[in-house]
Amino acid sequence: MENISTKTVKHFDWILLLGMLALLAIGVLAIYSATYNSGSSYLKQNYERQLIWIAIGSILFLTMALIHFKYYQAFAYVLYGFAIVLLLFVLILGKMGGGAARWISIGGIKFQPSEWAKLFTIFALARYLSDNLNQIRSTKVLITAFAIGLLPMILIFEEPDLGTSLVFAAIIPSILFWADVSPLALFLIAAPFLTMLASFNFYTFFADMILLVGVLYFVKRPLIFSVANVLLNLFVGIMTPFFWNSLHAYQQKRILTFLGLVSDPKGMSYQIIQSKVAIGSGGLWGKGFLHGTQTQLRFLPAQHTDFIFSVIGEEFGFIGAMVVLFLFALILYRGFKISAASKNHFAGLVGIGVTTLFLYHTVVNIGMATGIMPVTGLPLPFVSYGGSFLLVSMASMGVLANISMRKYDY
């Protein structure tokens, strides 16, 4: 660690820290309430375990904040390689949990390498793009950057953990955009994913291809370039049915339920229905701490993890939910501001990657709890119960604080 000057400490983002601490406190209260009437002594101790992880996370936060970000840049590929090795290890010897092999155990301590892979992939992408700023729009750089982000995404999908793998689909384009990759390149990167969604129906697939051809005609790129992109998207459209059949039944059901194509009020829809009832019944001020009927009678599924926002909505009402949303908005605003203010390209790209990570988790988790997004099993940062993601979230906040303190360093 370097010697921290008074000038460096002066730029520490206290608002970022206070926002995180407030969310951690709300999370512990919600976890305590969610497990209060569980009837299980193990579950009742969840809030105590969460406090222990917060203590460990606080050490990680300080450590990540105090080490100069130039060391993250220097060791970015090493950390990324380490994450890839752990993800491969999970596929071979991982522990089963929630229908997937996501955990590994070292010395009796279980953790999810996929959570750390998010942060280390951000480091690697930022390092590669900042090293190639002069060629940022070349095809070779784009393909390599895309491959760096895609490799952990595929390995996590194979666990299988569709929800976590999709986090990378948000992180990759945001970092590429911040690195000044052209809008056309971002469109062409997103096009296969749009084609995949559109190919479930002939007319939407046809419209998607017309859009692609129209954009390629408008930008007037070489014919071979346009033909290659059209063929790629046709290939994706043809292969989508095979990809769909490779998904697990529960994953297909989640997507179909979300799209309203199947009705399953006692199955997949049950989670969303109970969550919406809990949030809606909270009213303006909520039913009060430990007085939420949906929560205390345990109608809510996964109420201390994925649906923790529903507990807050029921017991603390609209006002409590707005406080949580305000705190996240504050953290995201500070994250984007810190990224924009950083004079160092690597640090700015890391900042935008970390902020996007929090933005994606927040939008998807709250969208899931309010029934406007499919159930993907993503936790709410700093609030949901769980050690691996909490530690990575606090370490990532330490990185943001680090960039804030050294925003004038080149």
Side-chain angles (χ1 to χ4, degrees):
M1 295 184 192
E2 63 171 344
N3 293 324
I4 307 296
S5 66
T6 306
K7 187 178 177 182
T8 302
V9 174
K10 182 182 174 184
H11 295 300
F12 182 84
D13 197 319
W14 293 100
I15 295 176
L16 199 69
L17 175 64
L18 291 174
M20 180 183 74
L21 292 176
L23 285 171
L24 288 170
I26 292 171
V28 172
L29 284 175
I31 291 167
Y32 180 83
S33 176
T35 54
Y36 182 69
N37 276 324
S38 65
S40 162
S41 57
Y42 180 83
L43 285 178
K44 284 183 178 180
Q45 293 171 350
N46 277 352
Y47 81 94
E48 296 176 0
R49 281 186 283 274
Q50 188 80 347
L51 286 171
I52 293 172
W53 286 323
I54 289 173
I56 298 171
S58 299
I59 297 171
L60 273 176
F61 173 86
L62 286 174
T63 305
M64 298 298 278
L66 293 177
I67 297 175
H68 197 294
F69 59 69
K70 67 183 180 183
Y71 292 104
Y72 303 138
Q73 185 172 12
F75 291 98
Y77 294 147
V78 175
L79 294 170
Y80 175 77
F82 181 61
I84 295 299
V85 169
L86 289 180
L87 290 176
L88 289 170
F89 189 72
V90 168
L91 291 178
I92 299 169
L93 298 170
K95 302 282 186 184
M96 295 298 292
R102 300 170 183 170
W103 303 81
I104 58 175
S105 178
I106 298 177
I109 300 174
K110 284 173 55 180
F111 67 99
Q112 282 182 277
S114 57
E115 300 298 350
W116 287 99
K118 297 172 190 171
L119 181 59
F120 295 160
T121 300
I122 290 171
F123 284 166
L125 262 177
R127 164 73 188 273
Y128 180 74
L129 291 172
S130 60
D131 285 351
N132 292 278
L133 278 179
N134 295 331
Q135 310 170 61
I136 200 68
R137 299 197 174 191
S138 77
T139 305
K140 179 186 172 185
V141 170
L142 280 178
I143 291 176
T144 305
F146 195 64
I148 290 172
L150 200 60
L151 178 58
M153 182 177 174
I154 292 173
L155 293 175
I156 294 169
F157 176 78
E158 285 296 317
E159 289 181 1
D161 188 350
L162 177 63
T164 303
S165 69
L166 289 177
V167 176
F168 292 82
I171 291 173
I172 297 169
S174 70
I175 294 180
L176 290 175
F177 173 76
W178 207 257
D180 199 27
V181 170
S182 72
L184 174 64
L186 290 174
F187 171 76
L188 294 177
I189 289 172
F193 296 102
L194 295 175
T195 301
M196 187 179 291
L197 293 174
S199 60
F200 285 93
N201 179 281
F202 172 78
Y203 295 106
T204 55
F205 177 68
F206 185 72
D208 176 74
M209 295 307 297
I210 291 292
L211 173 65
L212 176 65
V213 171
V215 170
L216 290 170
Y217 175 78
F218 179 75
V219 298
K220 300 189 183 308
R221 288 303 174 98
L223 180 62
I224 189 169
F225 176 84
S226 300
V227 170
N229 275 283
V230 171
L231 289 177
L232 170 65
N233 282 272
L234 281 173
F235 175 75
V236 170
I238 294 170
M239 292 303 294
T240 295
F242 297 99
F243 169 75
W244 175 257
N245 291 329
S246 72
L247 292 178
H248 288 251
Y250 76 91
Q251 292 173 327
Q252 293 180 351
K253 207 167 184 178
R254 281 180 175 179
I255 296 171
L256 292 174
T257 302
F258 166 67
L259 294 175
L261 299 176
V262 299
S263 178
D264 187 21
K266 294 183 179 178
M268 290 296 172
S269 299
Y270 177 84
Q271 297 174 314
I272 296 175
I273 291 171
Q274 297 303 323
S275 175
K276 290 164 75 174
V277 169
I279 294 172
S281 64
L284 182 61
W285 297 102
K287 297 175 181 173
F289 184 53
L290 302 179
H291 288 89
T293 49
Q294 292 290 110
T295 301
Q296 301 308 324
L297 295 176
R298 306 197 62 76
F299 286 115
L300 275 173
Q303 57 191 27
H304 60 295
T305 54
D306 300 348
F307 288 90
I308 195 77
F309 185 76
S310 311
V311 176
I312 295 168
E314 184 182 28
E315 300 201 340
F316 299 100
F318 177 78
I319 300 298
M322 285 298 104
V323 168
V324 170
L325 289 176
F326 171 77
L327 291 170
F328 275 117
L330 190 65
I331 287 175
L332 294 173
Y333 168 72
R334 301 302 295 184
F336 285 122
K337 189 174 180 181
I338 290 167
S339 306
S342 176
K343 303 297 182 189
N344 181 280
H345 291 298
F346 169 80
L349 292 173
V350 169
I352 204 67
V354 168
T355 306
T356 303
L357 170 66
F358 290 136
L359 173 64
Y360 184 81
H361 267 267
T362 304
V363 170
V364 172
N365 181 279
I366 295 178
M368 179 180 75
T370 52
I372 60 174
M373 299 197 79
V375 178
T376 53
L378 287 183
L380 189 61
F382 314 114
V383 182
S384 291
Y385 172 79
S388 292
F389 184 59
L390 179 65
L391 296 182
V392 172
S393 296
M394 295 185 74
S396 300
M397 286 291 275
V399 173
L400 272 182
N402 186 327
I403 297 168
S404 172
M405 287 193 295
R406 300 172 178 88
K407 57 188 173 187
Y408 297 120
D409 289 9
Y410 284 92

